[in-house]
């Protein structure tokens, strides 16, 4: 079994050496590292070249000109790897010494398209924040592993982060491109869950660094900041609903004529119904939102009572467009 790492970088000079060394010092070695740099303006590429040229590992470094953005850059890196299983890797995290060993052991026991593990949240100096990634995201290991409908779990919200993920070559071959409104890890989890082929690994295998320059992070806001963002978010609620409605179209098209079409249709009807709210009177908006809440769709496809309350307030506070 050949194991590759698809590592994407952009202005990561500050943290990349720690991440690369953690990959190189595994109890079970990786066979290949492919780095796609998104046109960094600092010394990221030079640091990578210096470390890897002395390591003896098979590696390739590609520099994008112009920049591709996160999703396209990761897709490029994944397609350039040659391994049977590929870890996607951020530039600023730190792998535990036995990460590859833990994943390899699970891969040998099962035959899944996608595996993902837990991790520990750490600050910019790699000091633990006393919360795991799964605790932050509210991930239930047994629910995912034993679910008869993994797709429903991942429709509710994306919970697979690229830093925690390892995918099979078969999964990469299934994904020619990622729809516009999706990140690569989100879409891979949809594709794999459709095949009922996701395996969670209930161990912490890496430190998930939180700092001001994360492209995608899990840092916890204070209650005051969270409340301010929540209230201020009313101004962008139409854009958010449109974004979710467009994603629901992608899912419906993807699972058409399969056993999941009914579920995807319900998911689309919910988000399309929310997107249409702003064309209705406040009373009709609240009536529709209440209907969805009573039917359980807010809990099934959004954030439960918090989402319902937000939409009820938005009916009054957001001007019709």
């Amino acid at each position: 079994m050949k194991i590759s790492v698809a590592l994407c970088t952009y202005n990561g000079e500050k943290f990349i050496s720690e991440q690369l060394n953690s990959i190189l010092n595994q109890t079970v070695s990786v066979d290949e590292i492919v780095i796609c740099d998104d046109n960094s303006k600092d010394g990221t590429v030079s640091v990578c070249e210096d470390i890897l040229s002395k390591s003896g590992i098979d590696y390739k470094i590609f520099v994008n000109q112009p920049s591709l953005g996160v999703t396209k850059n990761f897709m490029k890196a994944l397609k350039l790897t040659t391994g049977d299983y590929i870890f996607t890797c951020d530039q600023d995290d730190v792998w535990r010494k036995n990460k590859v060993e833990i994943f390899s052991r699970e891969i040998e026991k099962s035959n899944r398209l996608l595996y993902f593990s837990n991790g520990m949240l750490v600050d910019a100096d790699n000091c633990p924040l006393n919360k795991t990634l799964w605790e932050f995201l509210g991930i239930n290991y047994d629910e995912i592993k034993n679910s008869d409908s993994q797709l429903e779990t991942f429709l509710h919200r994306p919970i697979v982060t690229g830093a925690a993920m390892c995918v099979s070559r078969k999964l990469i071959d299934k994904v020619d491109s990622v729809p516009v409104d999706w990140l690569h890890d989100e879409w891979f989890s949809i594709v794999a869950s459709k095949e009922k082929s996701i395996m969670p690994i209930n161990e912490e295998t890496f430190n998930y660094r939180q700092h001001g320059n994360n492209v995608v992070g899990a840092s916890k806001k204070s209650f005051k900041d969270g409340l301010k963002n929540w209230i201020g978010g009313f101004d962008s609620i139409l854009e958010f609903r449109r974004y979710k409605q467009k994603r629901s179209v992608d899912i419906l098209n993807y699972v058409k004529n399969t056993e999941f079409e009914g579920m995807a249709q319900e998911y689309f009807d919910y988000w399309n119904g929310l997107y249409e709210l702003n064309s209705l009177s406040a009373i009709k908006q609240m009536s529709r939102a209440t209907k969805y809440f009573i039917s359980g769709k807010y809990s099934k496809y959004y954030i439960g009572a918090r989402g319902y309350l937000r939409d009820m307030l938005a009916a009054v506070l957001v001007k019709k467009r």
Side-chain angles (χ1 to χ4, degrees):
M1 178 174 67
K2 184 175 182 179
I3 298 174
S4 298
V5 176
L7 171 56
C8 287
T9 59
Y10 177 70
N11 291 345
E13 180 181 24
K14 183 176 180 180
F15 300 117
I16 188 62
S17 60
E18 192 172 11
Q19 172 65 302
L20 276 178
N21 284 316
S22 73
I23 295 170
L24 293 172
N25 292 317
Q26 291 289 300
T27 56
V28 172
S29 299
V30 302
D31 300 293
E32 171 191 59
I33 297 177
V34 172
I35 296 176
C36 283
D37 182 84
D38 214 22
N39 202 15
S40 289
K41 308 305 180 186
D42 64 3
T44 299
V45 174
S46 296
V47 173
C48 292
E49 182 69 41
D50 182 60
I51 293 173
L52 293 175
S53 64
K54 299 172 183 175
S55 69
I57 196 168
D58 183 16
Y59 74 95
K60 304 179 187 70
I61 299 176
F62 301 87
V63 178
N64 302 325
Q65 291 182 340
S67 302
L68 296 178
V70 175
T71 296
K72 288 183 179 179
N73 196 25
F74 264 107
M75 287 302 296
K76 177 180 177 179
L78 285 163
K79 296 289 186 180
L80 288 168
T81 61
T82 60
D84 303 303
Y85 288 88
I86 303 92
F87 287 90
T88 53
C89 182
D90 294 339
Q91 64 188 8
D92 46 10
D93 302 320
V94 180
W95 287 14
R96 305 281 177 86
K97 285 184 177 293
N98 59 346
K99 178 176 181 176
V100 177
E101 180 181 348
I102 289 171
F103 273 80
S104 297
R105 189 163 57 236
E106 188 59 54
I107 289 169
E108 289 173 359
K109 291 193 300 184
S110 57
N111 182 24
R112 303 297 177 95
L113 294 175
L114 186 153
Y115 300 81
F116 74 104
S117 74
N118 200 352
M120 173 59 67
L121 301 186
V122 298
D123 65 15
D125 297 317
N126 199 28
C127 297
L129 296 173
N130 299 319
K131 178 165 285 205
T132 69
L133 180 61
W134 285 14
E135 287 171 339
F136 178 85
L137 295 174
I139 294 177
N140 185 310
Y141 168 75
D142 291 323
E143 178 185 341
I144 298 170
K145 182 179 180 182
N146 301 320
S147 173
D148 292 328
S149 179
Q150 289 187 333
L151 181 60
E152 184 174 314
T153 300
F154 290 91
L155 282 181
H156 178 71
R157 60 193 174 91
I159 56 177
V160 174
T161 61
M165 184 173 75
C166 179
V167 298
S168 70
R169 173 62 53 191
K170 292 178 182 178
L171 180 57
I172 294 173
D173 292 342
K174 285 178 178 289
V175 181
D176 292 325
S177 62
V178 177
V180 172
D181 292 295
W182 295 79
L183 292 171
H184 61 287
D185 45 17
E186 294 175 326
W187 190 247
F188 274 119
S189 67
I190 292 296
V191 174
S193 64
K194 173 178 172 284
E195 304 294 328
K196 304 175 184 178
S197 193
I198 293 181
M199 176 62 71
I201 297 175
N202 195 18
E203 295 190 55
E204 296 169 28
T205 68
F206 68 106
N207 290 351
Y208 194 42
R209 198 188 304 261
Q210 303 300 296
H211 56 85
N213 296 322
N214 289 74
V215 176
V216 179
S219 57
K220 192 75 169 179
K221 293 181 176 67
S222 68
F223 175 78
K224 182 179 178 180
D225 289 340
L227 183 62
K228 186 188 297 183
N229 289 343
W230 188 73
I231 294 173
F234 286 135
D235 292 335
S236 61
I237 196 165
L238 296 183
E239 287 76 12
F240 175 73
R241 289 171 179 165
R242 177 58 173 161
Y243 162 76
K244 295 292 285 188
Q245 189 258 9
K246 287 166 65 178
R247 283 165 60 109
S248 71
V249 172
D250 293 330
I251 292 172
L252 184 57
N253 289 335
Y254 180 66
V255 303
K256 209 166 205 50
N257 299 320
T258 72
E259 62 182 291
F260 302 110
E261 184 173 358
M263 180 193 304
Q265 184 67 54
E266 181 181 83
Y267 183 72
F268 167 79
D269 290 342
Y270 170 71
W271 281 110
N272 192 56
L274 289 187
Y275 176 63
E276 293 173 344
L277 284 182
N278 203 246
S279 64
L280 307 176
S281 68
I283 294 297
K284 288 184 177 179
Q285 287 186 55
M286 289 188 283
S287 175
R288 180 175 292 185
T290 299
K291 178 182 176 182
Y292 286 162
F293 181 70
I294 292 172
S295 69
K297 289 185 174 63
Y298 272 93
S299 295
K300 193 173 183 180
Y301 295 129
Y302 193 25
I303 52 174
R306 287 185 297 145
Y308 169 64
L309 176 59
R310 184 180 182 185
D311 286 339
M312 293 292 278
L313 291 173
V316 178
L317 298 176
V318 178
K319 293 180 180 180
K320 289 179 65 176
R321 294 184 190 174

